[in-house]
Amino acid sequence: MAMEYDVIVVGAGHAGTEAAVMSARLGAKTLLLTSNLDTIGQLSCNPAIGGIAKGTVVREIDALGGIMGRATDRATIQFRMLNRSKGPAVWAPRAQCDRTLYRRAARALLERFPNLELTQGMVSRLILEGTQVAGVATSDGRGFTDTQIPAGRAGDQPAVAVAQHIESLGLTVSRFKTGTPPRVDGRSVDWSKVERQDGDQTAYRFSFYERAERPPQVPCWITWAGEAVKDIVRRHLKESALYGGAIAARGPRYCPSVEDKIVKFPDAQRHQVFLEPEGLDTHELYVNGLSTSLPVSVQLEFLHAVPGLERARLTRPGYAIEYDYYPPTQLTPWLETKAIERLFFAGQINGTTGYEEAAGQGVVAGINAVRRVRGLEPVLFARDEAYIGVLVDDLITRGVDEPYRLFTSRSEFRLLLRQDNALRRLAPLAERLQLLTAQEWRDAERRLREEELLLDTARETTLSPDQAARVLAPTGTALAEPERVATVARRPGVGLRALLEAAGVAVSCDDAVVASAEIELKYDGYLAREREAASRLAELAGFVLPVELPYLELRSLATEARQKLDRVRPTSLAQAARIPGVSPSDLHNLVVETARWRRRVA
Ligand SMILES: Cc1cc2nc3c(=O)[nH]c(=O)nc-3n(C[C@H](O)[C@H](O)[C@H](O)COP(=O)(O)OP(=O)(O)OC[C@H]3O[C@@H](n4cnc5c(N)ncnc54)[C@H](O)[C@@H]3O)c2cc1C
């Protein structure tokens, strides 16, 4: 007899775990059915979470009640805020994790939900009632009924049965490739030849709701692959699965193999290589930057040509694989398949790459599967509300022609979608959807109120030239007459806390609250302009593009966009917008560049 659930999640990868958590938080009776319970929370390749745009997604997932941020905090062995020297729109928290601690944390966090059952089993087919899915059957003959979210990788060898079954139901399947670098034994590294990179000394946590004790921190190490590595790779290129023809599918542009780097960027003198610890209780290092599908003997040869790795012992070779995905244009904006009702897809199965992208989709699918069961309207995240919204919108409207990865450049609302304001953007929605516990919402509300209060105080407090003098002295500026703190705070290099304190206001809130408020004040004008630009862009969709536009020379567009526009040569901005990889910010720049080009040739 089939066991009944409200929502069945198939596959406990990063998409599946977040989907299951959302479903459980919404009070649905949820089953997380996965091929191996021991691999829940597995960081299948690099044990690192966050980074450009992805770090913001982790914050968004956390604001909505997901587990990725909490698990990361418990497993962080090195933390860095990337891009800190640039504007806050692109600040990117990134954590190197202990692989084992992460897995343990994910499992423990899942087991907190009484209405979430974890079960081991390999789903071999869907149980259908007409065009609706009614349950799943496992290869050992068990049946489970109701709405589900297959979140497993479509191409995993043992998942072939269900993949074939889904294809037979009318969904188109396609293939991508990806690879990993070799790993080495840290005891065989010559540390005198590599550069030590320590993490930031900061109290930063991905999770707002839970403050985990951080494990001991360790450094990463930097070295590089130069001419000697290039020679070896070039000599053996034909033996590469990626270049020799064994693997023909498209790989991730932003995570290229060493073969790709050397073929596509022949002029680059050297490529950076990061040696990243796999965990606290192992010497194994992940050789980030040298992903490859060359034979093991060649991997050893080029590794030994890297400074510091001359005597490196290989613990695991790199490899490349091909996997299936279902082009995501087959999905609704709430990630339900158009062909089979009540079947939702999230994660790598939709052509994305990255743990965070998978987890973000899991959130959307998990929330909406429950709403589908309850007959409620779907919940969609707008592009100016969350990177998760950008991600899903890009997937379902543009599709993918290479593994999709999030970048800040994918968003036309980069200043609105910051890592520091994820709670403000999403916690109120999470509360409305009833995703948060009463305590979590109380904490979030308190934090948001604190920030508002601080902003109000900054707008209402006046600072005299005398009071401002000491704070402004290092910037070489001064006040000619009294001004509001909020106005003075817009000046570069001036801290909000220092200004308020100079005006005699005691600031008791923590640094994160002050930092967020400060960004809101400093970028006030830019934020307003970003919204305006977005509405103008919508009007320009009918804009005609001259066929002879020299796309490859349009430097303000991303390289990917330039190449694709050059290939397709669209006739209008509307057509350009439909080309995968051309982001709204590229379109905005294209309008400016086209006007400039017209003036030049007129
Ligand atoms: C070689 C390689 C290297 C990568 N390197 C990185 C990297 O360094 N950084 C990064 O961010 N991303 C990397 N990625 C991508 C990243 O691993 C994926 O995008 C992400 O893990 C996908 O998450 P997911 O939840 O969609 O699927 P997965 O994490 O693959 O989880 C799917 C789960 O479902 C289970 N499952 C599958 N089929 C069934 C079934 N029929 N029944 C029951 N259970 C099933 C699987 O066993 C698995 O546990 C890499 C991927 C590969 C293949």
Side-chain angles (χ1 to χ4, degrees), residues 189-514:
V189 173
D190 181 346
W191 301 108
S192 68
K193 294 193 181 154
V194 297
E195 187 191 323
R196 180 181 168 125
Q197 184 193 52
D198 285 302
D200 298 352
Q201 298 299 317
T202 163
Y204 187 96
R205 296 286 189 284
F206 277 98
S207 179
F208 166 75
Y209 302 110
E210 213 171 87
R211 195 167 178 82
E213 199 58 48
R214 201 178 259 180
Q217 300 296 286
V218 295
C220 292
W221 306 85
I222 304 176
T223 178
W224 41 269
E227 284 305 325
V229 173
K230 284 165 70 176
D231 280 351
I232 297 164
V233 172
R234 265 194 221 109
R235 257 192 287 119
H236 293 278
L237 211 52
K238 282 209 165 63
E239 297 158 56
S240 158
L242 300 172
Y243 275 86
I247 291 184
R250 286 204 146 196
R253 165 188 292 258
Y254 305 105
C255 192
S257 63
V258 63
E259 295 95 301
D260 268 334
K261 288 181 189 176
I262 283 158
V263 171
K264 291 185 183 155
F265 308 100
D267 298 333
Q269 285 190 332
R270 54 192 217 173
H271 299 276
Q272 236 178 7
V273 174
F274 293 87
L275 303 178
E276 299 175 331
E278 288 266 322
L280 292 174
D281 54 5
T282 169
H283 295 288
E284 198 171 16
L285 296 169
Y286 180 94
V287 187
N288 195 349
L290 292 183
S291 167
T292 183
S293 64
L294 284 161
V296 179
S297 58
V298 182
Q299 294 187 29
L300 257 181
E301 196 183 339
F302 76 63
L303 275 177
H304 289 168
V306 173
L309 300 185
E310 294 84 350
R311 292 166 182 280
R313 262 194 315 278
L314 196 66
T315 50
R316 284 174 233 214
Y319 62 90
I321 57 154
E322 268 193 313
Y323 57 92
D324 290 348
Y325 72 96
Y326 298 91
T329 43
Q330 304 176 90
L331 301 173
T332 66
W334 51 96
L335 298 183
E336 184 174 2
T337 61
K338 291 174 188 162
I340 308 163
E341 288 171 59
R342 297 161 77 99
L343 177 68
F344 290 71
F345 279 177
Q348 186 166 294
I349 198 169
N350 288 338
T352 59
T353 175
Y355 312 134
E356 304 80 357
E357 286 85 348
Q361 293 167 68
V363 166
V364 175
I367 294 171
N368 284 303
V370 176
R371 294 183 73 82
R372 183 75 159 88
V373 172
R374 295 179 179 165
L376 300 170
E377 285 295 305
V379 168
L380 310 178
F381 294 89
R383 292 185 69 96
D384 61 350
E385 189 178 27
Y387 266 105
I388 296 175
V390 174
L391 163 70
V392 172
D393 182 53
D394 280 354
L395 291 177
I396 57 121
T397 57
R398 294 150 182 251
V400 289
D401 61 357
E402 60 188 30
Y404 180 98
R405 179 170 170 185
L406 263 177
F407 265 103
T408 46
S409 59
R410 302 250 190 223
S411 168
E412 62 278 43
F413 302 108
R414 286 195 280 288
L415 262 174
L416 296 175
L417 306 185
R418 304 187 313 268
Q419 56 82 28
D420 68 277
N421 69 357
L423 195 75
R424 173 165 301 282
R425 290 185 276 119
L426 297 170
L429 171 68
E431 160 64 5
R432 280 201 301 283
L433 295 176
Q434 298 183 323
L435 283 167
L436 302 180
T437 64
Q439 184 62 49
E440 285 168 344
W441 175 237
R442 266 198 302 277
D443 292 346
E445 237 188 340
R446 192 181 322 117
R447 158 74 197 258
L448 298 179
R449 254 203 320 268
E450 256 186 294
E451 207 178 289
E452 278 153 23
L453 203 68
L454 194 65
L455 284 169
D456 288 347
T457 310
R459 288 181 185 123
E460 286 158 11
T461 307
T462 305
L463 200 64
S464 71
D466 277 355
Q467 286 171 319
R470 200 172 45 82
V471 184
L472 294 182
T475 68
T477 64
L479 290 191
E481 54 189 40
E483 277 191 49
R484 303 278 184 198
V485 166
T487 315
V488 186
R490 290 199 190 124
R491 299 185 180 200
V494 180
L496 177 59
R497 189 188 288 275
L499 287 175
L500 283 167
E501 286 175 355
V505 178
V507 181
S508 59
C509 26
D510 69 38
D511 288 346
V513 177
V514 179

Side-chain angles (χ1 to χ4, degrees), residues 25 55 58-74 76 79 93 109 112 203-212 214 419 423 440 447 512:
R25 277 186 174 262
V58 182
R59 299 279 280 181
E60 292 176 355
I61 293 167
D62 179 69
L64 292 161
I67 63 165
M68 185 168 252
R70 295 175 200 229
T72 304
D73 288 344
R74 292 183 187 193
T76 299
F79 175 83
L109 288 163
R112 277 184 181 177
Y204 187 96
R205 296 286 189 284
F206 277 98
S207 179
F208 166 75
Y209 302 110
E210 213 171 87
R211 195 167 178 82
R214 201 178 259 180
Q419 56 82 28
L423 195 75
E440 285 168 344
R447 158 74 197 258

Side-chain angles (χ1 to χ4, degrees), residues 10-16 33-35 39 44-46 54 121-123 151-153 156 159 162 178-180 286 319 321 346-348 352-356 358:
V10 181
H14 302 285
L33 185 56
T34 194
S35 50
T39 59
S44 46
C45 196
N46 189 359
K54 291 148 79 83
M122 177 57 75
V123 169
R153 282 187 198 148
D156 273 4
V162 73
T178 191
T180 77
Y286 180 94
Y319 62 90
I321 57 154
Q348 186 166 294
T352 59
T353 175
Y355 312 134
E356 304 80 357

